[in-house]
């Protein structure tokens, strides 16, 4: 089965050439889309759209792709500029139809991730004030009754005010996959790292999700990684065909609470703490 889907027939030649070149770089580096997302900070869903011609990759993603594949970004960014012009021309055509799906605006139309998080926070604060105002009006009219205090959301629930796609926070993330629960991509940082033999060992941390996990790259089949925090421990093991693996998440209050350790098939061991 072919790895890539056929590009949309209506795609302009410049955009198609740019997309095919990105695919070539990913293939030459032997990267899966999941690995590419983890190493560049752009989500798996976004890369799926970029590499299938459904969304024009932003310049930051293009530069990140060049870095992880060891390629000079000059030629790739030039191809992107040509593709962006073609994309803009296609968007302005009066005869463009929406038979398959509504056109997706170019990435420059999206607000930065930091601004989106601020807007989400403000929206959540306004919603809380509206709820408290309603409670006061309903229960405080005689002055003798105090309004019931709002309960804090359980840390096991996703909760309002979290960025789109994030599906857990705190103890609700323990034992779950960071990528599946939306805790990876732009929301993750490397809190600690070290090398064990030829393998890189990291403690990965998402402040938004309140969780951490261990990861090893450059791994061989059978290499194992473990993350521990506050008595909770999760493990991951590399399998044939993968050069990296990561553990499920454990809940943490801050990045420094987590420790990751690796045990290699070569007999080498080490910890990032």
């Amino acid at each position: 089965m072919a790895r890539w889907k056929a590009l949309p027939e209506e795609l302009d030649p410049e955009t198609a050439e740019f997309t095919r070149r990105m695919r070539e770089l990913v293939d030459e580096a032997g990267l899966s889309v999941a690995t590419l997302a983890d190493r560049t900070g752009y989500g798996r869903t976004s890369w799926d759209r970029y590499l299938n011609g459904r969304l024009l990759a932003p310049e930051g993603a293009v530069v990140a792709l060049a870095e992880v594949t060891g390629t000079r970004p000059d030629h790739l960014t030039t191809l992107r500029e040509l593709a962006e012009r073609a994309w803009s021309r296609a968007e302005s055509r009066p005869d463009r139809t929406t038979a398959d799906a509504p056109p997706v605006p170019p990435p420059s139309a999206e607000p930065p991730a930091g601004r989106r998080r601020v807007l989400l926070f403000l929206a959540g604060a306004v919603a809380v004030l509206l709820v408290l105002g309603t409670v006061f009006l309903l229960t405080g009219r005689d002055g003798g009754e105090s309004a019931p205090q709002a309960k804090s959301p359980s840390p096991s629930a996703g909760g309002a005010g979290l960025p789109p796609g994030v599906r857990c926070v705190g103890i609700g993330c323990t034992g779950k996959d960071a990528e599946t629960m939306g805790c990876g991509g732009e929301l993750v940082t490397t809190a600690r790292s070290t090398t064990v033999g030829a393998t890189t060992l990291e403690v990965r941390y998402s402040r938004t999700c309140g969780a951490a996990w261990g990861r090893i790259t450059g791994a061989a089949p059978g290499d194992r990684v473990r993350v521990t925090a506050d008595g909770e421990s999760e493990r991951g093991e590399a399998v044939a065909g993968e050069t990296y693996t990561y553990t499920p998440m454990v809940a943490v209050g801050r990045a420094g609470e987590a420790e990751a350790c690796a045990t290699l098939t070569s007999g080498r061991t080490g910890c990032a703490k």
Side-chain angles (χ1 to χ4, degrees), residues 51-70:
L51 295 169
N52 285 292
R54 289 183 285 138
L55 183 66
L56 184 65
E59 187 173 356
V62 172
V63 173
L65 172 62
E67 289 178 353
V68 300
T69 57

Side-chain angles (χ1 to χ4, degrees), residues 194-201 217-219 223 262-264 266-271:
T194 188
T195 56
V196 182
T199 300
T200 300
L201 169 65
T217 54
D223 287 350
T263 302
L264 310 184
S266 64
R268 299 287 294 272
T269 60
C271 295

Side-chain angles (χ1 to χ4, degrees), residues 213-245:
W213 57 99
R215 182 178 75 171
I216 50 175
T217 54
D223 287 350
R224 294 183 305 238
V225 58
R226 182 184 77 252
V227 65
T228 305
D230 195 24
E232 294 287 343
S233 183
E234 297 290 343
R235 292 173 170 81
E237 182 173 331
V239 298
E242 293 286 355
T243 59
Y244 84 107
T245 189

